[in-house]
Structures are given as structure tokens and as C-alpha cells.
Amino acid sequence: MKVSEKYEKYAVGNYGKRSITLVKGKGAHVWDENGKKYLDFGGGIAVLSLGHCNKKLVDALIKQANTLGHCSNLYMHAPQADAAEHLVKEMGKGKVFFCNSGAEANEALLKAARLNGKKLSGEEGRKFRVIVAVNGFHGRTLATLSATAQEKIQKGFSPLMPEFSYAEFNNLKSVEDLMGDDVAAVLVEPIQGESGVLPATKEFLQGLRSLCDKHGAMLMFDEVQCGVGRTGKFSASKKFGVKADAISMAKGLGGGFPIGAIWLSEKYQDLFTPGSHGTTFGGNPLACACANAVMDEIDSKKLCQNAEKLGKKLLSSLQKIAKKYPQKIKLARGVGLMIGVLFQDNYKNADVCSALIKNGLILVPAGSNALRLLPPLNIKESEVNSALKIFEKTISEI
Ligand SMILES: Cc1ncc(COP(=O)(O)O)c(C=O)c1O
């Protein structure tokens, strides 16, 4: 039976039909079952910080698997201690908690908001509302999909978890109108990824900071997609120059090995106490060994600078292509190596994506009609040039 037939027969149909079966990858390239080679600028949806099968990452994983593959959180191990130390060095004074995915990291943020709300308003107090942004994306668990103000994500899952208020992104007045002393936290993505790569304005994030300070609410950034170097700084909060109280990460942190994390600033680092939260796999030695390899490579190979430099080149070239084909492309926007191209209504992103795949370039659909470019942070200039060539050729053909 072919791989596609097994999927059809045995896998739950929660994902749309997939066009290719991948068998191997190296760096920024992947190969399908027919031996066709693709440039992968989807990066497993912002996961493959070091590209496919990076030697440092693979060596670290194998070494750890041969040393101590799993250890419950009842005991300590060096990889988790090192990963925590490294993250605190990058994110700022505070502490970290490890989990397994972006949704789980955001669940931990929401639980931290509850704990802090109770600390401030008492066990019976009512400080537990969380303001989130329309068209944000925070995950698929019941709490995080309730925090995801998008009908297509929430449809079929009511009743949603209560006490979320939905404000407009980049509209401070809309947040102000919903703000009150019963608000425990404001949770936003500094760059909305799933809905089409829409960066926040610095003024919006600064305004959120002031509103949270005024009302004793925590400012929380979801950096699951835009964190870990993708914007050109390790944390997007540093790129925007706005201090958050708590930040979630996942995706790129493990470079392909599942791991999630939250960072809590010094003021909030002791919200969780023994027994208040936990996970079997979170911060497991294999996951932390991979995260350490990713963070070491980001440091030693100056990958934030690479993301900044090549991101600028990629974005400006895409904007030139957009100008050349205004009847097909509305605009290109983004920060660092997180870039979105928005298409005109009569050019569907799914169709453009298929045409690009035929020509050997993998991108990721986003929002109502956009495609995302999320290449590895160690992408080479020659690979950026090749991707741009395929992109422009495809746009001219469609
Ligand atoms: C900003 C953001 N938050 C949370 C998530 C959920 O992460 P996961 O799929 O690892 O649960 C995603 C996934 O796309 C995301 O982009």
C-alpha cells in the first residue's frame, strides 16, 4: 500500500489532502518519494531553525539518546538545567518551564494568569479575564482555541472556555475599551503568523504595556512562531523593544524535536509552586539536548544576524516582485525570516502553493489568502536567490 493510501485508510481526516510525500531532507532541501528535490522555505512551519538533519542537532540527539533518553520531572538532569540557563540568558531575568508544544506553552501562560489573578484578588476574586486579539492563533486545546479569536478554529467546539475578550489587533483603543481591573492578562502574538504574517506596531505593544501596568495585568507574548531568533533577535520582545511579563515558545526551539517553554519574568517566576502544574515529557533530556544544540548554533553561527540580513533581502525582493505583478500580489510584509505574501482575491493561495511545489519551492499557506516564507535561520544567500527565482517564475506563469 502506498503512503498516501495508508493515510487515507488509517489517519483521522483533520488535515486537508496533501500533495507530496517527503522521504528525506538536508539543510534547506527535501526530496519526495519520486526523488524530486524541493527548496523548503516552509521549514516545517517555522520549526526547522537549523534546516533538515543538521549535524550538530543530530549528533546531540544521538549522544543524548545513548546517555539518558528520558528522565521524569521527579529527577534533575543536566540538559534541562542547561536549556533553562541558556533561555534565561537570552530572555532576561526570570525562570522557565518546559512543556511539549506551543498550545501547551500557552496553556501554561493562561494558568499563570489565573494564579496571578488569584494572588491579587483572592481565591474568590474575579481577576481572571484575558484579552486576546482577533485573528490571533494560540493553539488547538480547548483553552487555547477559546483564546484564538477565529471562527474557523472555534467552530464545532462550543461551549468555549469563558472569560476571553477579543480586541482588534493593532488598535489600542479597542483594547482600552475592554480593559478593566478584572483583567488578569493580555495575550498577543508580536507578529500574527497563522493569519497572514501581520506584525504588531511598536506603539500598539507599548500601549499594551502601559494598559497592563495601569490595571495590574500581565502582558504575555505568544512567540511560538516568531520567537527563537526568527525576527533577527532571539526574542521578538527584544526586536520590538517592549518588555513582556511572560513569553511562550515552541516550534523553532527544538529545531524539529517537540519542545515548548514559557519564560516568566522575575516578578512572576514563582507563581507556580510544587504540584500546581506539570507534564510527563516536558523538558525531557532528548528535547532539551536538541534545544541546547539549536541555541548553541544560533549563538556560535550568529544566526539572528543572518535572519536579519537575509530576511531584509528576501522581503525587499518579494516587494519588488509584488510591484511588478500588482494584479496578482497585494503586498509582501514581515520581520526577519518570517515573511508573508498576500495575493489578490482571484489568485488563491492554495493554487499558488501548488504551482510553487510543481516548480520545486515549498511555502506555507496562511490566513485567508497568503503564503508564508519561514526558511531555516541558517539559510544561505544562494538559496534565497534560488527561492526568489522560482517564486518569480511561478508568479509570471500563473
Ligand atoms: C503563534 C502560535 N501559537 C501557538 C501555536 C500552537 O502551537 P502547537 O501547534 O505546537 O500546539 C502556533 C502554531 O502554529 C502558533 O503559530
Side-chain angles (χ1 to χ4, degrees):
M1 214 189 263
K2 281 176 71 172
V3 170
S4 57
E5 289 164 353
K6 286 188 188 173
Y7 265 86
E8 186 74 27
K9 191 153 186 224
Y10 300 115
V12 167
N14 58 315
Y15 299 107
K17 223 174 170 47
R18 287 157 278 200
S19 55
I20 49 175
T21 299
L22 299 178
V23 291
K24 66 172 187 176
K26 187 75 201 154
H29 290 94
V30 284
W31 285 260
D32 72 12
E33 59 188 345
N34 303 313
K36 182 173 168 178
K37 185 179 176 186
Y38 304 83
L39 245 182
D40 183 5
F41 268 50
I45 321 187
V47 165
L48 296 154
S49 311
L50 308 180
H52 293 271
C53 303
N54 175 271
K55 185 165 167 23
K56 283 267 162 57
L57 181 66
V58 173
D59 287 350
L61 179 59
I62 292 173
K63 189 169 171 214
Q64 191 57 48
N66 279 317
T67 311
L68 180 69
H70 179 71
C71 165
S72 82
N73 282 306
L74 294 173
Y75 313 106
M76 295 180 280
H77 56 86
Q80 189 178 130
D82 292 344
E85 180 188 27
H86 204 141
L87 269 180
V88 167
K89 270 193 191 143
E90 293 288 0
M91 307 298 291
K93 278 187 185 164
K95 289 188 177 175
V96 298
F97 162 80
F98 290 105
C99 52
N100 308 287
S101 69
E104 266 187 62
N106 288 328
E107 285 275 347
L109 288 187
L110 295 170
K111 283 180 78 172
R114 285 274 169 104
L115 287 176
N116 194 51
K118 295 214 183 301
K119 195 170 154 190
L120 295 178
S121 67
E123 190 55 35
E124 300 305 319
R126 298 199 54 81
K127 193 173 179 64
F128 43 60
R129 196 154 56 86
V130 176
I131 299 179
V132 293
V134 169
N135 287 332
F137 184 85
H138 301 294
R140 302 282 195 157
T141 62
L142 268 175
T144 57
L145 77 82
S146 303
T148 295
Q150 295 191 46
E151 203 192 328
K152 66 171 195 246
I153 305 291
Q154 297 181 339
K155 196 169 178 278
F157 298 108
S158 63
L160 300 178
M161 188 178 134
E163 300 300 334
F164 286 106
S165 298
Y166 304 143
E168 276 176 38
F169 192 64
N170 276 341
N171 179 347
L172 196 59
K173 172 81 173 52
S174 147
V175 182
E176 221 168 339
D177 289 347
L178 293 167
M179 200 66 185
D181 289 343
D182 64 324
V183 171
V186 173
L187 169 65
V188 292
E189 294 160 86
I191 305 167
Q192 288 192 331
E194 294 299 303
S195 58
V197 188
L198 177 59
T201 62
K202 192 172 173 178
E203 298 68 41
F204 178 63
L205 296 181
Q206 279 169 339
L208 295 184
R209 179 68 276 170
S210 307
L211 279 177
C212 285
D213 290 342
K214 191 168 157 201
H215 292 275
M218 293 174 76
L219 179 58
M220 301 181 151
F221 287 166
D222 178 342
E223 296 196 5
V224 166
Q225 191 163 150
C226 66
V228 195
R230 191 149 289 281
T231 60
K233 290 268 186 274
F234 189 89
S235 167
S237 68
K238 298 234 166 91
K239 181 76 185 178
F240 286 85
V242 177
K243 280 197 172 135
D245 299 308
I247 295 175
S248 57
M249 291 157 270
K251 287 189 182 279
L253 184 58
F257 200 97
I259 185 169
I262 62 164
W263 166 85
L264 293 164
S265 68
E266 216 175 5
K267 184 173 170 192
Y268 299 100
Q269 69 186 21
D270 297 322
L271 282 174
F272 289 106
T273 48
S276 58
H277 196 43
T279 149
T280 298
F281 291 116
N284 138 310
L286 300 178
C288 287
C290 290
N292 287 326
V294 167
M295 290 189 278
D296 286 346
E297 279 290 278
I298 288 177
D299 264 356
S300 64
K301 301 271 167 65
K302 298 194 180 352
L303 297 185
C304 288
Q305 287 94 317
N306 194 55
E308 167 109 37
K309 183 178 149 216
L310 292 185
K312 267 191 189 141
K313 179 188 168 126
L314 188 54
L315 179 58
S316 64
S317 305
L318 289 166
Q319 285 170 335
K320 273 187 205 139
I321 298 173
K323 266 206 181 129
K324 202 165 156 191
Y325 297 94
Q327 71 285 15
K328 299 180 182 178
I329 300 175
K330 274 188 192 158
L331 57 91
R333 66 188 175 201
V335 181
L337 286 174
M338 181 168 176
I339 298 173
V341 179
L342 276 64
F343 292 91
Q344 299 292 2
D345 295 344
N346 46 341
Y347 291 88
K348 292 289 157 230
N349 58 351
D351 299 335
V352 184
C353 198
S354 303
L356 285 164
I357 283 180
K358 270 199 195 110
N359 287 337
L361 176 64
I362 296 180
L363 300 189
V364 183
S368 58
N369 207 20
L371 288 177
R372 268 173 289 177
L373 293 93
L374 304 156
L377 305 182
N378 58 3
I379 195 81
K380 297 186 190 107
E381 189 156 7
S382 57
E383 291 163 340
V384 166
N385 290 337
S386 304
L388 284 165
K389 233 186 214 162
I390 300 175
F391 185 82
E392 180 157 9
K393 174 181 179 298
T394 310
I395 297 302
S396 74
E397 287 168 359
I398 57 170

